[in-house]
Amino acid sequence: TVATSPAQGFQVATRPLSIEPGEDIRWCEVVRLPGGANDVYYVDRIETAMTDHSQDLIVSAATVGSDTEAAMEDGARTPCTRAGEAFGEDVVALTSSQLAYHDQRYPAGVGQVLRGGQKLAIDYHSVNPSTQPVAALVKLNFHTVAREAVAHNAHLAAFDNLTIYTPPGGRSSH
């Protein structure tokens, strides 16, 4: 699990958020990677963990030096439909999951290249069907390897349409 940092790598997390009874929220939060611009991380595995009542997670990295990165304030958290809408479109998807725990392992020779201080957009969705407030929190473990171990950058492709509105108990078509 991602309770502790990996032996080789680092952990980042969102700030705890209280979800009130009956709430259905999607938040986009900015988290900065540790280190400075001279630190380069070669990542061959990303573990994600979400608290109970979490529905899905999308983790994106802002392109270093982009307008999107400049617009992303450290620790900013805002309701959103998706990270690009909240912060700008110059982000690259790193991983996503609909599971409370996900272990993204890249094939041998494949990985992500990230920089110290780089900003991540953590896009997460939580629903609280209970009668008590619950905590929402996301933790990410980035497992690093030697530079030589990453010969190819991983790329994700997805079609995500989060704007299809269907009223509760209703129907819609698109």
Side-chain angles (χ1 to χ4, degrees):
T1 68
V2 296
T4 60
S5 295
Q8 188 169 336
F10 55 90
Q11 182 179 90
V12 297
T14 59
R15 293 176 291 138
L17 176 68
S18 181
I19 309 298
E20 296 302 315
E23 273 192 316
D24 179 342
I25 59 98
R26 177 172 289 281
W27 288 97
C28 288
E29 186 168 336
V30 177
V31 174
R32 186 183 288 263
L33 296 182
N38 292 330
D39 296 311
V40 180
Y41 303 118
Y42 299 91
V43 177
D44 72 342
R45 178 180 174 201
I46 303 171
E47 289 178 281
T48 68
M50 299 183 291
T51 50
D52 289 341
H53 306 291
S54 296
Q55 303 297 307
D56 64 83
L57 168 70
I58 303 168
V59 179
S60 304
T63 302
V64 175
S66 68
D67 290 342
T68 296
E69 180 189 48
M72 295 170 72
E73 294 181 31
D74 285 345
R77 180 166 53 200
T78 184
C80 66
T81 303
R82 58 186 182 77
E85 170 192 75
F87 305 119
E89 299 296 340
D90 206 356
V91 292
V92 175
L94 300 179
T95 191
S96 62
S97 179
Q98 292 180 332
L99 304 173
Y101 172 78
H102 177 65
D103 191 352
Q104 172 69 54
R105 295 173 188 246
Y106 297 107
V110 177
Q112 298 283 350
V113 180
L114 303 171
R115 297 224 173 250
Q118 189 169 5
K119 295 175 184 175
L120 302 182
I122 313 297
D123 172 348
Y124 58 102
H125 177 207
S126 297
V127 176
N128 182 359
S130 76
T131 59
Q132 298 297 316
V134 297
L137 178 71
V138 174
K139 289 186 178 182
L140 308 167
N141 276 352
F142 292 86
H143 296 261
T144 57
V145 294
R147 177 185 178 148
E148 303 78 36
V150 177
H152 305 283
N153 288 334
H155 298 280
L156 298 180
F159 172 76
D160 299 312
N161 187 342
L162 303 175
T163 61
I164 299 172
Y165 176 73
T166 303
R171 295 173 20 165
S172 64
S173 62
H174 304 272

